[in-house]
Amino acid sequence: MSAETLEIKANSNGLKAGHCLTLADFSPQEIESILTLAKRLKKSQEEGTPERLLEGKTLAMIFDKPSTRTRVSFEAGMVQLGGAALVLHRNELQLGRGESLADTARILSGYVDGVLIRTGAHAIVEELAAHASIPVINGLTDGHHPSQALSDLFTLQEKKGKLKGLKLAYVGDGNNMLHSLLQGAAATGMHIVASVPEGYEPAADVVAEARQLAQETGAKVELTHSPKEAVTEADAVYTDVWASMGQEEEKAKREKDFTAFQVDQALMALAKPDAIFMHCLPAYRGLEVSAEVLDGPQSIVFEQAANRLHAQKALMVTLMG
């Protein structure tokens, strides 16, 4: 075992919570360690020498919501690390017949080494973690999407060579994705400017927490209602769907409210000439982003998606190694 692996394992033993419910569960140093390990694991995988750091370990994955990138990247990641993943759906568990989350957490803790859950209310993952004696990973809730944001940080670092001092412009809904990006940017010393329509601002407590951390890391956290203000001189421009899962009934209203928040070529032209475009996917061309931008030379969305494999492998090793 390398000295770097030993350092990662030592860091994981000192995690603030032992879980990944939000990026606030990690210190800036722990996030840096995860990104460093992700880089190493990606390199070894590409060289054909994958590191089987979770040999004999099992991850249970509970899905209450559909998934492509989260399911495949975590499951493939566990296989590459030498472990196994069990894909579970609520209606396949006794949860579907009324067994409590607390009891489910205790039962799973006796069988597997970690639990990933992709669900709705953030309180669900908090309750699961409160009663589990193994790491719990938030694969997406209505409040946060930390595994995606870790991958985004890894991708930005890979493309730009650093994170500290970069300007990240977010244009769109003040949703779970923005919450995790605010936490991640604050932890890594970035300048994040989020542009959202009036009435769609991110949660005030998440913004306050990010701004408090930013004072320690040298980051800057700003909110605006102007996409142009956010994107001007940005190193990266990020957007997400206007209507997330569970908001289908609001789709028509949201499309009207977000009309001025499409990332098109004219908006991208305000960013730095070497700016990159990011999206957590799935994307809807002609709504939150124009086809010209999504499929254009500045877009790195598919590299960003592929990097979820490596960032999440590093996350699992940190928590379960």
Side-chain angles (χ1 to χ4, degrees):
M1 184 178 293
S2 70
E4 186 176 1
T5 301
L6 287 171
E7 180 182 356
I8 292 293
K9 287 175 73 64
N11 285 344
S12 70
N13 292 333
L15 289 175
K16 287 189 285 183
H19 306 295
C20 177
L21 308 188
T22 79
L23 285 190
D25 287 333
F26 303 105
S27 69
Q29 294 75 26
E30 287 162 351
I31 289 177
E32 182 180 354
S33 292
I34 292 171
L35 299 181
T36 298
L37 181 57
K39 180 179 180 180
R40 192 185 89 197
L41 293 175
K42 181 175 182 176
K43 184 173 185 290
S44 63
Q45 187 69 34
E46 290 176 341
E47 291 175 346
T49 56
E51 300 182 53
R52 299 176 71 81
L53 300 176
L54 294 181
E55 193 83 47
K57 299 291 181 75
T58 304
L59 176 71
M61 306 195 301
I62 302 173
F63 289 93
D64 288 338
K65 288 190 172 186
S67 175
T68 299
R69 283 154 291 277
T70 297
R71 173 178 173 173
V72 177
S73 57
F74 272 101
E75 188 170 1
M78 279 300 293
V79 172
Q80 291 176 11
L81 290 166
L86 304 174
V87 177
L88 308 170
H89 299 279
R90 180 178 288 266
N91 60 3
E92 298 171 341
L93 300 171
Q94 295 297 340
L95 273 172
R97 297 179 61 241
E99 184 169 54
S100 71
L101 275 169
D103 286 352
T104 299
R106 294 184 183 104
I107 294 299
L108 290 177
S109 294
Y111 295 149
V112 299
D113 303 284
V115 178
L116 167 80
I117 182 166
R118 182 178 176 92
T119 188
H122 192 72
I124 292 174
V125 298
E126 293 178 326
E127 184 177 356
L128 194 67
H131 297 281
S133 58
I134 54 176
V136 173
I137 299 172
N138 174 3
L140 176 141
T141 64
D142 295 343
H144 295 269
H145 199 355
S147 60
Q148 175 69 55
L150 272 176
S151 174
D152 298 336
L153 294 174
F154 176 55
T155 303
L156 272 167
Q157 188 179 67
E158 186 177 61
K159 286 294 182 181
K160 295 296 183 179
K162 65 173 186 176
L163 291 173
K164 192 174 183 64
L166 289 182
K167 180 180 179 182
L168 172 63
Y170 177 92
V171 179
D173 189 21
N175 60 11
N176 51 3
M177 196 64 251
L178 177 55
H179 289 164
S180 291
L181 288 173
L182 287 168
Q183 292 177 333
T188 54
M190 296 175 65
H191 176 196
I192 183 168
V193 185
S195 171
V196 300
E198 290 189 36
Y200 293 93
E201 292 82 4
D205 60 333
V206 175
V207 175
E209 183 180 48
R211 283 176 169 161
Q212 183 176 1
L213 180 57
Q215 294 177 4
E216 303 172 20
T217 63
K220 291 176 65 178
V221 175
E222 296 183 274
L223 299 181
T224 178
H225 296 305
S226 168
K228 292 181 179 179
E229 179 184 342
V231 171
T232 297
E233 291 299 301
D235 296 286
V237 180
Y238 197 118
T239 193
D240 191 9
V241 295
W242 291 342
S244 299
M245 286 180 286
Q247 297 174 329
E248 287 79 9
E249 292 182 0
E250 303 174 29
K251 187 174 183 291
K253 182 179 186 304
R254 283 173 169 266
E255 288 183 10
K256 180 179 178 181
D257 293 346
F258 283 79
T259 300
F261 287 77
Q262 183 186 94
V263 178
D264 57 17
Q265 199 59 53
L267 190 63
M268 283 296 297
L270 299 176
K272 291 181 179 177
D274 63 347
I276 56 178
F277 172 75
M278 305 179 74
H279 193 306
C280 55
L281 301 179
Y284 297 93
R285 293 166 177 82
L287 291 179
E288 74 273 8
V289 59
S290 68
E292 184 181 19
V293 170
L294 185 69
D295 301 313
Q298 290 174 286
S299 174
I300 60 163
V301 298
F302 296 108
E303 294 174 68
Q304 179 187 353
N307 272 340
R308 289 199 63 181
L309 175 66
H310 312 295
Q312 288 164 184
K313 285 166 66 174
L315 173 63
M316 290 188 289
V317 170
T318 299
L319 293 174
M320 299 165 56

